[in-house]
C-alpha cells in the first residue's frame, strides 16, 4: 500500500520541489507515489483513492513559497496547509 501521493501543481519548475519532498518522505520510511505530470485535482483524488493512500500532498507554488504544502487526509477528508518540515 501507498502512504502518500505527492502531486505537483504549477508547472515544471515545481517538479524539483515535489521530488525533494517525496525523497524526504521516503527517507523517513513512507511509501510515496510521485505524480509529476499535469493532472486535474479530480484525477489526483481518484488516483490516491485507487492506491488506498493515506494522504494526498499537493505541492503548489503559493504554498511552497510560504514553506507549506496542502495535505488532504483521505479517510477523514480533512485538509489544510502544513509546514513542509512537519509533513
Amino acid at each position: 500500500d501507498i502512504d502518500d501521493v505527492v502531486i505537483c501543481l504549477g508547472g515544471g519548475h515545481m517538479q524539483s520541489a515535489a521530488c525533494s519532498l517525496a525523497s524526504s518522505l521516503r527517507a523517513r520510511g513512507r511509501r510515496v507515489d510521485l505524480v509529476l505530470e499535469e493532472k486535474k485535482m479530480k484525477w489526483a483524488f481518484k488516483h490516491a483513492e485507487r492506491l488506498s493512500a493515506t494522504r494526498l500532498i499537493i505541492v503548489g507554488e503559493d504554498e511552497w513559497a510560504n514553506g507549506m504544502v496542502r495535505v488532504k487526509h483521505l479517510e477523514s477528508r480533512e485538509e489544510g496547509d502544513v509546514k513542509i518540515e512537519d509533513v
Side-chain angles (χ1 to χ4, degrees):
D1 280 350
I2 296 291
D3 294 313
D4 303 312
V5 172
V6 175
I7 187 164
C8 168
L9 296 181
H13 63 284
M14 291 305 298
Q15 289 181 352
S16 63
C19 287
S20 173
L21 178 62
S23 293
S24 172
L25 291 168
R26 288 176 179 139
R28 294 194 312 248
R30 305 278 302 176
R31 292 168 304 222
V32 178
D33 182 65
L34 177 61
V35 179
L36 296 176
E37 303 90 24
E38 288 285 328
K39 298 287 186 182
K40 295 185 186 301
M41 285 309 303
K42 184 176 180 179
W43 180 92
F45 288 121
K46 289 196 179 299
H47 178 69
E49 288 174 349
R50 277 193 303 270
L51 295 176
S52 299
T54 306
R55 305 182 300 179
L56 175 63
I57 302 171
I58 304 159
V59 180
E61 285 182 89
D62 294 340
E63 293 86 359
W64 191 263
N66 292 315
M68 311 281 270
V69 292
R70 179 155 289 265
V71 177
K72 179 160 183 128
H73 296 272
L74 296 171
E75 191 171 311
S76 67
R77 299 284 192 212
E78 293 178 13
E79 69 177 274
D81 291 342
V82 177
K83 287 182 183 177
I84 294 165
E85 62 268 17
D86 293 341
V87 176

